[in-house]
Amino acid sequence: MARLLKIWTVLLFTLCAVLLADEGNSVQTTGRKLADGGILLPRESSYQGKGFGVGIGGGALFPSGKKCKALAQWQGTGEYAYSQYVSAGVSVRMYGGNIDDEISIIYQRYHSHVRLHYLVNPNWVLFAEPAFGFESTSLDEIRGKNSSGTSFATEEEVNKAVGCDNEYSLDGASGAFTLGSGFALSESWSVNGAAGYEQSWSGVGQLSISLGFGFNLRNNVDYLKRNVLGAWIAFEMVARRYFSNETDDWGVANMIALILNI
């Protein structure tokens, strides 16, 4: 598995380099006509076939352990469409708070991704997304240890919160692959969904399933129609299950996001 992830990462960066080299001559949207205002996609983004998009969302994360407390969560994505078929970008996921009675965390994880799009009809788009991820968090501090390696929490307290560390167990570099879709129900409303798997080089895997819907402000405000490609208010729910750790429970995150495309 580790060898496969390394090969996938090399291919991902090679594709990114080719796309960036051609940025000055990006291809305009051609072929099938796209629904006016675009189509909402998962993780604070939407499909426009051209242009630049940025999205930011916030909400609550409910970890998989039964004795774990809810955490605040923020996510953001920036993406550029090189053609109607290919886009690339970066995203960040952060969450923090008191995960149990003894341990508090602030966790950050970053991803770079390439999306391959296929517009089935004006209202329906499919995508495949390879990605590379990493985090910049001190896991020793998260796990309640001081600089000498001594735990702040007792063994009984740690055992009491079994499952709470699932949400930051995907440490180190990782490779991911996601398949998803977006569908415009009307000029104002769109729904989306995706399923993906991420495997870290430390041996932990994460299965993610997301569902969302959104309202397109752009198609309802004359000023936005004249000046932007899309402007969405979206709601998204993401369920995550971790493998190769101590619990098989699911963690769930709910977020409200704002997405703008120019």
Side-chain angles (χ1 to χ4, degrees):
M1 178 62 74
R3 182 180 179 184
L4 180 61
L5 288 175
K6 291 178 182 178
I7 294 173
W8 187 250
T9 301
V10 171
L11 292 175
L12 174 60
F13 278 111
T14 301
L15 180 57
C16 287
V18 172
L19 294 174
L20 290 173
D22 192 47
E23 181 175 356
N25 299 306
S26 58
V27 181
Q28 298 297 317
T29 301
T30 58
R32 293 181 175 89
K33 179 178 173 58
L34 175 66
D36 196 28
I39 302 173
L40 185 67
L41 293 180
R43 205 174 64 240
E44 299 80 51
S45 65
S46 71
Y47 176 71
Q48 304 290 341
K50 60 182 178 180
F52 175 77
V54 61
I56 186 168
L61 168 67
F62 303 92
S64 55
K66 294 181 175 60
K67 297 182 180 295
C68 309
K69 297 180 179 179
L71 303 173
Q73 176 165 323
W74 305 266
Q75 286 193 179
T77 297
E79 191 171 35
Y80 181 76
Y82 296 89
S83 74
Q84 74 172 107
Y85 305 107
V86 181
S87 65
V90 295
S91 63
V92 59
R93 180 171 75 237
M94 298 183 289
Y95 47 81
N98 294 320
I99 198 166
D100 55 42
D101 292 336
E102 297 296 327
I103 302 174
S104 62
I105 71 169
I106 296 179
Y107 182 82
Q108 305 171 67
R109 189 160 188 85
Y110 305 89
H111 289 90
S112 61
H113 67 269
V114 173
R115 277 183 174 170
L116 308 176
H117 304 273
Y118 176 68
L119 188 61
V120 180
N121 61 49
N123 298 312
W124 184 22
V125 64
L126 307 174
F127 73 86
E129 178 191 291
F132 172 77
F134 64 95
E135 107 288 309
S136 62
T137 306
S138 173
L139 296 180
D140 283 342
E141 292 181 7
I142 285 178
R143 292 180 174 123
K145 295 181 180 180
N146 59 27
S147 58
S148 65
T150 303
S151 176
F152 293 136
T154 65
E155 183 176 355
E156 181 181 354
E157 290 165 342
V158 172
N159 290 337
K160 181 180 178 182
V162 166
C164 297
D165 65 349
N166 279 351
E167 307 305 333
Y168 55 85
S169 63
L170 199 69
D171 58 321
S174 64
F177 187 77
T178 301
L179 295 174
S181 177
F183 185 80
L185 299 171
S186 67
E187 285 191 352
S188 298
W189 295 96
S190 185
V191 296
N192 62 64
Y197 185 79
E198 184 169 0
Q199 180 73 34
S200 74
W201 294 358
S202 61
V204 176
Q206 178 198 78
L207 173 66
S208 298
I209 298 175
S210 67
L211 295 172
F213 66 90
F215 179 78
N216 196 346
L217 289 172
R218 183 260 184 197
N219 288 349
N220 293 273
V221 179
D222 288 339
Y223 175 82
L224 294 177
K225 283 184 179 180
R226 295 191 301 268
N227 293 279
V228 301
L229 296 173
W232 296 86
I233 296 177
F235 175 82
E236 185 171 286
M237 182 183 74
V238 183
R240 304 188 186 105
R241 185 181 187 274
Y242 294 82
F243 299 88
S244 301
N245 52 13
E246 62 259 312
T247 179
D248 294 329
D249 294 334
W250 289 79
V252 177
N254 299 315
M255 285 168 292
I256 295 178
L258 176 64
I259 303 106
L260 182 66
N261 300 92
I262 58 176

Coordinates of all heavy atoms in Angstrom, one line a residue, residues 61 63 65 67-71 95-105 142 161 163-168:
L61 N -18.0 19.3 14.8 CA -17.6 17.9 14.6 C -17.9 17.1 15.8 O -17.6 17.5 16.9 CB -16.1 17.9 14.3 CG -15.4 16.5 14.4 CD1 -15.8 15.7 13.2 CD2 -13.9 16.7 14.4
P63 N -17.0 13.7 17.3 CA -16.1 12.5 17.2 C -16.8 11.2 17.4 O -17.9 11.1 18.0 CB -15.0 12.8 18.3 CG -15.1 14.3 18.5 CD -16.6 14.6 18.3
G65 N -15.9 8.5 19.3 CA -16.0 8.0 20.7 C -17.3 8.4 21.4 O -17.7 9.5 21.3
K67 N -17.8 9.0 24.6 CA -17.5 9.9 25.6 C -16.8 11.2 25.2 O -16.4 12.0 26.0 CB -16.7 9.2 26.8 CG -17.4 8.1 27.4 CD -16.6 7.5 28.5 CE -17.3 6.3 29.2 NZ -18.5 6.7 29.9
C68 N -16.8 11.4 23.9 CA -16.1 12.6 23.3 C -17.0 13.7 23.2 O -18.2 13.6 22.8 CB -15.5 12.2 22.0 SG -14.5 10.7 22.0
K69 N -16.5 14.9 23.4 CA -17.3 16.2 23.2 C -17.2 16.7 21.8 O -16.2 16.4 21.1 CB -16.7 17.2 24.2 CG -16.9 16.8 25.7 CD -16.3 17.9 26.6 CE -16.5 17.5 28.1 NZ -15.9 18.5 29.0
A70 N -18.2 17.5 21.4 CA -18.2 18.0 20.1 C -17.1 19.1 20.0 O -16.7 19.8 21.0 CB -19.6 18.7 19.8
L71 N -16.6 19.2 18.8 CA -15.5 20.2 18.5 C -16.0 21.2 17.4 O -16.9 20.9 16.6 CB -14.3 19.5 17.9 CG -13.6 18.4 18.8 CD1 -12.5 17.7 18.0 CD2 -13.1 19.0 20.1
Y95 N -10.0 21.9 13.2 CA -10.9 21.8 14.3 C -10.2 21.8 15.6 O -9.1 21.6 15.8 CB -11.8 20.5 14.2 CG -11.2 19.2 13.9 CD1 -10.6 18.5 14.9 CD2 -11.2 18.7 12.6 CE1 -10.0 17.3 14.6 CE2 -10.6 17.5 12.3 CZ -10.0 16.8 13.4 OH -9.4 15.6 13.1
G96 N -11.0 22.2 16.7 CA -10.4 22.4 18.0 C -11.5 22.5 19.1 O -12.6 22.6 18.8
G97 N -11.0 22.3 20.3 CA -11.8 22.4 21.5 C -11.4 21.3 22.5 O -10.3 20.7 22.3
N98 N -12.2 21.1 23.5 CA -11.9 20.1 24.5 C -12.6 18.8 24.1 O -13.8 18.6 24.1 CB -12.5 20.5 25.9 CG -11.8 21.8 26.4 OD1 -10.6 21.9 26.3 ND2 -12.6 22.7 27.0
I99 N -11.7 17.9 23.6 CA -12.2 16.6 23.1 C -12.8 15.7 24.2 O -13.6 14.9 23.9 CB -11.2 15.9 22.2 CG1 -11.8 14.9 21.3 CG2 -10.1 15.3 23.1 CD1 -10.9 14.4 20.2
D100 N -12.2 15.8 25.4 CA -12.8 15.1 26.5 C -12.5 16.0 27.8 O -12.1 17.1 27.7 CB -12.2 13.7 26.7 CG -10.7 13.7 26.7 OD1 -10.1 14.5 27.4 OD2 -10.1 12.8 26.0
D101 N -12.6 15.4 29.0 CA -12.4 16.2 30.2 C -11.0 16.6 30.4 O -10.7 17.6 31.2 CB -12.9 15.4 31.4 CG -14.4 15.2 31.4 OD1 -15.1 16.0 30.8 OD2 -14.9 14.2 32.0
E102 N -10.0 16.0 29.8 CA -8.6 16.3 30.1 C -7.8 16.8 28.9 O -6.8 17.5 29.1 CB -7.9 15.0 30.6 CG -8.5 14.4 31.9 CD -8.3 15.4 33.0 OE1 -7.2 16.1 33.0 OE2 -9.1 15.4 33.9
I103 N -8.2 16.6 27.7 CA -7.4 16.9 26.5 C -8.1 17.8 25.6 O -9.2 17.6 25.2 CB -7.0 15.6 25.8 CG1 -6.3 14.6 26.7 CG2 -6.1 15.9 24.6 CD1 -6.0 13.2 26.1
S104 N -7.4 18.9 25.2 CA -7.9 19.8 24.2 C -7.0 19.8 23.0 O -5.8 19.5 23.1 CB -8.0 21.2 24.8 OG -6.7 21.7 25.1
I105 N -7.6 20.1 21.8 CA -6.8 20.0 20.6 C -7.1 21.2 19.7 O -8.1 21.8 19.7 CB -7.0 18.7 19.8 CG1 -8.4 18.7 19.2 CG2 -6.8 17.5 20.7 CD1 -8.6 17.6 18.2
I142 N -1.3 17.1 21.5 CA -2.7 16.7 21.4 C -3.0 15.5 22.4 O -4.0 15.5 23.1 CB -3.0 16.2 20.0 CG1 -3.2 17.4 19.1 CG2 -4.3 15.4 20.0 CD1 -3.5 17.1 17.7
A161 N -11.7 7.8 27.3 CA -12.0 8.6 26.1 C -11.6 7.8 24.9 O -11.2 8.4 23.9 CB -11.3 9.9 26.2
G163 N -11.5 6.3 21.4 CA -12.2 6.7 20.2 C -12.0 8.2 19.9 O -12.2 8.6 18.8
C164 N -11.7 9.0 20.9 CA -11.6 10.5 20.7 C -10.5 10.8 19.9 O -10.5 11.9 19.2 CB -11.5 11.2 22.1 SG -13.0 11.0 23.1
D165 N -9.4 10.0 19.9 CA -8.2 10.4 19.1 C -8.4 9.9 17.6 O -7.5 10.1 16.8 CB -7.0 9.8 19.7 CG -7.0 8.2 19.7 OD1 -8.0 7.7 19.4 OD2 -5.9 7.7 20.0
N166 N -9.5 9.3 17.2 CA -9.7 9.0 15.8 C -9.6 10.2 14.9 O -9.0 10.1 13.8 CB -11.1 8.4 15.6 CG -11.2 6.9 16.0 OD1 -10.2 6.3 16.3 ND2 -12.4 6.4 16.1
E167 N -10.1 11.3 15.3 CA -10.2 12.5 14.5 C -8.8 13.1 14.2 O -8.7 13.9 13.3 CB -11.1 13.5 15.1 CG -12.5 13.0 15.5 CD -13.2 12.3 14.3 OE1 -13.0 12.7 13.2 OE2 -14.0 11.5 14.6
Y168 N -7.8 12.7 14.9 CA -6.4 13.1 14.6 C -5.5 12.0 14.4 O -4.3 12.1 14.5 CB -5.9 14.1 15.6 CG -5.9 13.7 17.0 CD1 -4.8 12.9 17.5 CD2 -6.9 14.0 17.9 CE1 -4.8 12.5 18.8 CE2 -6.9 13.5 19.2 CZ -5.8 12.8 19.7 OH -5.8 12.4 21.0

